[in-house]
């Protein structure tokens, strides 16, 4: 838990609000990475694959919300987390 707190402090600039959009995106990214590594060693685990898709959808919705509300924070979160930006239609 200490590691999560330190990353959260770096990401949001010392804000300890774990309910903020940026913090939620970081934690979802961390869970997605863990599930992805699990699925590499267990490719037929369909329950985990379903959970991964749900997490990806939730993170995408949060990224869309953040890009609409605060573009600068969105760019910082995307760069820090190492995720691609959203596709613009």
């Amino acid at each position: 838990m200490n590691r999560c707190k330190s990353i959260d402090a770096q990401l949001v600039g010392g804000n300890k609000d774990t309910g903020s959009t940026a913090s939620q995106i970081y934690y979802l990214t961390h869970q997605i990475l863990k599930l992805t590594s699990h699925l590499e060693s267990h490719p037929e685990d369909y329950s985990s694959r379903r959970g991964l898709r749900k997490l990806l959808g939730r993170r995408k919705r949060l990224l869309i919300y953040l890009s609409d509300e605060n573009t600068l924070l969105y760019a910082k979160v995307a760069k820090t987390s190492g995720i691609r930006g959203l596709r613009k239609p």
Side-chain angles (χ1 to χ4, degrees):
M1 191 65 181
N2 290 334
R3 183 179 70 191
C4 294
K5 286 182 182 178
S6 67
I7 296 295
D8 188 40
Q10 292 174 2
L11 182 64
V12 190
N15 188 2
K16 297 192 184 330
D17 181 19
T18 57
S20 69
T21 308
S23 297
Q24 290 182 37
I25 290 171
Y26 168 75
Y27 293 127
L28 285 172
T29 303
H30 182 68
Q31 288 179 332
I32 287 168
L33 292 174
K34 284 185 359 183
L35 266 178
T36 303
S37 66
H38 168 76
L39 285 171
E40 287 176 357
S41 57
H42 302 93
E44 295 185 11
D45 188 356
Y46 296 110
S47 299
S48 293
R49 188 168 300 185
R50 179 176 184 266
L52 177 63
R53 286 189 182 137
K54 288 178 68 111
L55 291 176
L56 287 170
R58 187 181 308 158
R59 183 178 72 177
K60 182 179 179 182
R61 286 191 303 271
L62 285 171
L63 284 169
I64 290 170
Y65 171 78
L66 188 62
S67 69
D68 290 341
E69 294 296 317
N70 191 345
T71 309
L72 296 175
L73 184 59
Y74 166 75
K76 181 179 178 182
V77 167
K79 183 178 178 184
T80 305
S81 297
I83 54 179
R84 291 187 314 218
L86 297 170
R87 292 183 185 172
K88 298 292 179 182

